[in-house]
Amino acid sequence: MINSYYVVLKGKLNAPAIFTDYRDLEKVIEGYKDAEYEYFDNIEDACSYIMGNKEVTKADLNTKNTGIGSLPINMISYNVNESDFKTVNSQYGNTICIYVSGGYNFPESKGYYSVLIKKYDRFKHIKKDDIENSTPNRVMLYGIIDALDYISDNNEMEITVFAATSLGFKSAIKHKGNNADLICEFYDKVKKKNLKVTCVEMLGKAQEIKDYISFVKTSQKG
């Protein structure tokens, strides 16, 4: 069963493509300076990413806005090049923001996450390295779940989570996808803490989110 889909927008190829084998991915990105690629755990999200989700009717600010089940979680997806991170980020200044970045080294079977929690004018950075037997999306979900431990319970606070990829929330609604277990854990935590969560997926903005986390970390040290 195929459960890994690697979408390459820029690399050693003539057009965007989807690969299911990491070794094939390496062949087209290794040594390519401006390579752009993302990992997905289902073919639907991979196809939506590579095609820019053209079948979706764009509404305000070119976003797709759908609720997830009956839980207090809202999904907003920005397709590649629809908007810049700085502009979108500024819209959520009145909420507690969680920015997640992460990666996974398949040959070494180890991953990491780096998460920044912004509580208005206060910041908290958490990270974890050497996460074994996982995937890029799963390590980021671990980071988001761990970040909720730093949010107070039962205050109906508004939380905004920023990620640069589709983490599988839509598939989890149907109890599908490799990340369904972690997303259910995330849902349970949100309900227990009585939070109102908006997940902002900014596809293709991994570097911008990573740079923002690094910038804030450096500024705090100064």
Side-chain angles (χ1 to χ4, degrees):
M1 179 180 177
I2 297 174
N3 51 32
S4 296
Y5 300 89
Y6 307 97
V7 178
V8 180
L9 297 183
K10 290 184 180 180
K12 300 175 185 176
L13 33 69
N14 296 323
I18 298 176
F19 300 93
T20 58
D21 192 317
Y22 183 78
R23 292 168 295 184
D24 293 331
L25 169 69
E26 284 188 315
K27 293 177 182 177
V28 298
I29 65 171
E30 189 173 357
Y32 193 89
K33 182 179 179 181
D34 297 317
E36 291 184 15
Y37 59 97
E38 293 286 349
Y39 165 85
F40 298 90
D41 61 7
N42 63 82
I43 189 63
E44 292 83 6
D45 286 341
C47 288
S48 293
Y49 180 76
I50 201 170
M51 296 179 67
N53 229 353
K54 295 178 181 178
E55 73 278 10
V56 176
T57 300
K58 306 240 179 359
D60 184 38
L61 291 176
N62 290 326
T63 67
K64 179 180 66 177
N65 193 330
T66 58
I68 294 187
S70 60
L71 295 168
I73 297 177
N74 191 43
M75 292 297 302
I76 299 179
S77 295
Y78 289 82
N79 299 316
V80 180
N81 298 324
E82 276 190 9
S83 187
D84 65 279
F85 170 71
K86 185 176 180 180
T87 299
V88 176
N89 187 28
S90 66
Q91 299 175 26
Y92 297 94
N94 294 325
T95 70
I96 296 175
C97 296
I98 297 174
Y99 308 88
V100 59
S101 176
Y104 195 77
N105 186 319
F106 283 90
E108 295 184 5
S109 298
K110 290 184 178 182
Y112 74 92
Y113 69 68
S114 176
V115 175
L116 177 70
I117 306 166
K118 181 171 73 71
K119 297 181 180 180
Y120 312 114
D121 60 345
R122 295 178 296 163
F123 298 89
K124 173 71 176 180
H125 176 250
I126 62 173
K127 68 175 183 177
K128 188 173 183 179
D129 299 314
D130 297 329
I131 302 172
E132 297 183 346
N133 302 318
S134 192
T135 66
N137 283 8
R138 286 185 72 82
V139 297
M140 286 190 282
L141 282 167
Y142 286 134
I144 295 171
I145 292 170
D146 290 347
L148 291 182
D149 289 336
Y150 296 87
I151 308 298
S152 300
D153 295 358
N154 301 319
N155 285 327
E156 294 190 347
M157 290 186 292
E158 295 187 16
I159 312 296
T160 306
V161 178
F162 287 89
T165 186
S166 177
L167 298 173
F169 287 94
K170 290 181 290 184
S171 298
I173 301 173
K174 302 175 183 178
H175 303 286
K176 296 181 179 179
N178 294 336
N179 299 330
D181 59 328
L182 291 182
I183 292 173
C184 286
E185 182 179 344
F186 172 67
Y187 286 171
D188 289 342
K189 221 166 195 179
V190 167
K191 290 176 66 178
K192 181 179 179 181
K193 288 179 170 288
N194 196 24
L195 304 175
K196 297 179 180 179
V197 178
T198 296
C199 293
V200 179
E201 297 176 346
M202 299 202 67
L203 304 184
K205 301 298 181 183
Q207 191 61 50
E208 285 89 338
I209 293 177
K210 182 178 180 180
D211 288 346
Y212 181 73
I213 294 173
S214 297
F215 171 75
V216 172
K217 285 172 55 183
T218 302
S219 301
Q220 292 298 299
K221 291 179 180 179

